[in-house]
């Protein structure tokens, strides 16, 4: 049985991954989730797993920057893989408070790498894996008038936001562990995910929640920025393939070839919800707003045989239904702290 340390497992993608992996007995793995439970982490996302999988699922509340906590987990559970989902993940917050992003995303990754290297004897490295879960945002922005150009693994890193700069830093450090020590690292860079359990500060759940409450839907700038959307369970299958068969030291892009302008996606969501387009409100643009992301996942497909299996329109409608049926979850995860940030951005602008 594999033991995997899953950091940030109470967040959106982490909790989807934990549920997905535990639901596959053939994966035969024990998951030790380490999560600080920031505003974005929610134990409700993992509810019931302790009872259903008492021998395969363990939760520990803690900070990836805390070397003692991380060392204790390595000693107690002896994981042979690390999946590092833990991060501050919202670009808008990184504009308001970059330091927390540097701390968790850079120092946290550094702490995990150092602990894994210390606890894994070198002779075990052919069986151990450190998977750093990164983002396409590290590549920066693509021109909107060149649909032929997409991010490949060779695209130079050119992050623009404090969030993407902190993720790029963590990627470089992870790669340095491979190049310097021969440490068995893997890096994945995925496009925007959608699905259940996403914190409603991100575009899709934010639009759904606001529209359900007949509140205006804020569109940054002209709404023509393009994002490339992937259903979260397709991200999970890709991570599993990379973890199981990826070549140590490699980077893999993950994406589903589903580019959409924000305004078109928002109109689609309003139509599914049967709400008027008059709810759309154009607001001040995000500073440094990347124009277009688009992922070329050809390497992952040709080398590891991965394919996304989700139909976009079907999964988008399913996602809308999930939030419709989980309005209590939506309201519970939105704390006073979140509402204060929301108010600050939309009502008072981006500056102090
Ligand atoms: P999220 O914000 O929903 O979840 C992050 C989780 O990390 C939360 O549970 C939070 O409590 C935890 N966390 C934060 N700081 C921590 C710390 N110091 N120690 C321990 N736990 C901490 O994020 P997400 O959308 O699930 O993203 C997960 C990962 O995937 C991130 O690394 C992100 O950069 C990457 N990613 C996300 C997307 C996307 O569309 N959401 C796309 C590509 C890559
Ligand atoms: P987001 O979900 O924050 O993801 P990211 O910035 O990491 O891609 O935003 C997705 C896109 O939607 C991005 O171009 C910014 C835009 N956006 C809005 O227009 N309005 C909003 O209220 C939010 C949160 C995002």
């Amino acid at each position: 049985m594999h033991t995997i340390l899953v950091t940030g497992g109470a967040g959106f993608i982490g909790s989807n991954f934990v549920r997905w992996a535990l639901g596959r007995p053939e994966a035969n793995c024990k998951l030790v989730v380490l999560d600080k439970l920031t505003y974005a982490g929610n134990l409700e996302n993992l509810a019931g797993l302790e009872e259903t999988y008492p021998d395969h699922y363990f939760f520990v509340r803690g900070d990836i920057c805390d070397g003692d906590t991380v060392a204790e987990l390595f000693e107690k559970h002896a994981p042979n893989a690390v999946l590092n989902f833990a991060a501050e993940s919202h670009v808008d917050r990184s504009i308001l408070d970059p330091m927390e992003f540097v701390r968790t995303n850079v120092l946290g990754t550094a702490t995990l790498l150092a602990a894994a290297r210390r606890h894994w004897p070198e002779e075990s490295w052919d069986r151990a894996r450190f998977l750093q879960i990164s983002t396409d945002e590290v590549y920066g922005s693509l021109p909107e008038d060149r649909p032929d150009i997409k991010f490949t693994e060779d695209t130079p890193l050119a992050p623009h936001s404090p969030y993407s700069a902190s993720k790029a830093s963590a990627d470089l450090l992870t790669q340095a562990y491979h190049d310097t020590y021969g440490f068995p690292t893997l890096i994945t860079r995925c496009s925007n995910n959608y699905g259940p359990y996403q914190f409603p500060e991100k575009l899709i759940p934010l639009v759904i929640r606001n529209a359900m409450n007949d509140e205006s839907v804020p569109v940054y700038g002209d709404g023509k920025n393009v994002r490339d959307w992937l259903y979260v369970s397709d991200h999970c299958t890709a991570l599993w393939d990379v973890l199981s068969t990826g070549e140590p030291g490699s980077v893999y892009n993950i994406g589903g070839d589903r580019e959409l302008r924000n305004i078109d996606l928002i109109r689609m969501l309003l139509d599914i919800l049967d709400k008027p387009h008059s709810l759309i409100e154009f607001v001040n643009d995000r500073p440094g707003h990347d124009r277009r992301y688009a992922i070329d996942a050809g390497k992952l497909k040709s080398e590891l045989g991965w394919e996304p299996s989700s139909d976009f329109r079907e999964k988008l409608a399913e996602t809308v239904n999930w939030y419709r049926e989980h309005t209590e979850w939506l309201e519970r995860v939105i704390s006073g702290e979140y509402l204060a940030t929301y108010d600050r951005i939309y009502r008072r602008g981006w500056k102090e």
Side-chain angles (χ1 to χ4, degrees):
M1 178 156 68
H2 296 293
T3 301
I4 308 176
L5 176 59
V6 181
T7 69
F12 164 46
I13 305 173
S15 63
N16 274 284
F17 178 85
V18 168
R19 287 183 179 282
W20 175 85
L22 290 173
R24 299 171 68 242
E26 67 278 18
N28 192 25
C29 55
K30 175 172 130 183
L31 304 182
V32 180
V33 174
L34 171 64
D35 198 295
K36 185 179 171 185
L37 299 181
T38 67
Y39 78 95
N42 188 346
L43 271 186
E44 225 180 304
N45 302 354
L46 300 166
L49 296 180
E50 240 147 9
E51 294 77 36
T52 316
Y53 305 101
D55 302 325
H56 292 80
Y57 166 80
F58 300 86
F59 179 85
V60 178
R61 185 174 189 179
D63 190 330
I64 57 166
C65 301
D66 177 353
D68 293 340
T69 300
V70 173
E72 264 174 45
L73 285 182
F74 270 90
E75 275 149 33
K76 184 167 176 200
H77 294 281
N80 51 5
V82 175
L83 246 69
N84 184 23
F85 291 96
E88 286 293 333
S89 68
H90 191 38
V91 174
D92 293 348
R93 283 176 186 265
S94 81
I95 295 168
L96 299 175
D97 183 10
M99 284 311 286
E100 204 44 38
F101 285 70
V102 174
R103 203 187 79 87
T104 286
N105 300 359
V106 186
L107 289 180
T109 304
T111 306
L112 291 170
L113 282 164
R117 180 168 166 246
R118 211 171 33 248
H119 285 87
W120 289 341
E122 222 169 307
E123 44 299 355
S124 73
W125 288 5
D126 58 338
R127 282 160 284 122
R129 295 289 182 268
F130 187 104
L131 200 173
Q132 174 64 10
I133 292 144
S134 188
T135 162
D136 60 356
E137 303 194 23
V138 297
Y139 296 123
S141 186
L142 291 166
E144 60 188 321
D145 57 352
R146 289 292 306 275
D148 53 312
I149 304 179
K150 296 184 177 212
F151 298 133
T152 72
E153 291 80 358
D154 296 325
T155 303
L157 302 189
H160 294 127
S161 71
Y163 163 65
S164 52
S166 67
K167 293 294 290 186
S169 307
D171 285 14
L172 292 175
L173 192 62
T174 304
Q175 191 64 41
Y177 262 62
H178 174 267
D179 299 347
T180 306
Y181 309 117
F183 196 67
T185 63
L186 294 156
I187 297 171
T188 54
R189 298 190 178 132
C190 190
S191 59
N192 287 61
N193 284 213
Y194 67 100
Y197 298 106
Q198 186 168 31
F199 193 85
E201 66 187 348
K202 304 282 169 56
L203 182 67
I204 288 182
L206 185 142
V207 170
I208 297 170
R209 177 176 177 271
N210 283 20
M212 282 194 308
N213 294 330
D214 296 312
E215 289 170 16
S216 67
V217 169
V219 181
Y220 298 168
D222 63 5
K224 292 182 183 158
N225 301 67
V226 171
R227 296 294 182 265
D228 188 357
W229 294 93
L230 183 73
Y231 190 61
V232 63
S233 68
D234 284 326
H235 190 180
C236 296
T237 60
L239 292 173
W240 188 262
D241 289 351
V242 170
L243 187 67
S244 327
T245 53
E247 180 66 25
S250 299
V251 175
Y252 295 93
N253 282 351
I254 307 173
D257 282 321
R258 182 48 78 162
E259 283 183 61
L260 275 175
R261 297 191 312 177
N262 291 339
I263 189 70
D264 296 332
L265 172 61
I266 291 167
R267 288 188 182 126
M268 247 181 230
L269 288 166
L270 291 173
D271 291 344
I272 297 172
L273 286 156
D274 206 14
K275 294 288 180 180
H277 291 192
S278 56
L279 284 179
I280 292 172
E281 183 187 345
F282 288 91
V283 299
N284 283 342
D285 207 356
R286 170 190 280 172
H289 196 176
D290 287 334
R291 195 62 175 168
R292 173 176 164 246
Y293 300 146
I295 274 279
D296 177 345
K299 176 178 173 184
L300 180 62
K301 292 178 180 178
S302 64
E303 290 188 11
L304 307 190
W306 174 82
E307 282 294 337
S309 67
S310 303
D311 175 78
F312 179 73
R313 284 189 179 268
E314 190 184 309
K315 288 298 174 188
L316 195 65
E318 247 180 52
T319 300
V320 169
N321 274 338
W322 188 89
Y323 288 100
R324 264 186 180 141
E325 285 163 10
H326 291 79
T327 49
E328 286 178 9
W329 178 90
L330 266 176
E331 296 316 315
R332 267 199 299 269
V333 299
I334 295 183
S335 64
E337 187 270 339
Y338 163 70
L339 289 175
T341 307
Y342 185 83
D343 178 64
R344 190 169 150 190
I345 293 172
Y346 298 123
R347 310 285 161 233
R348 285 182 277 150
W350 293 93
K351 298 200 172 66
E352 255 326 305

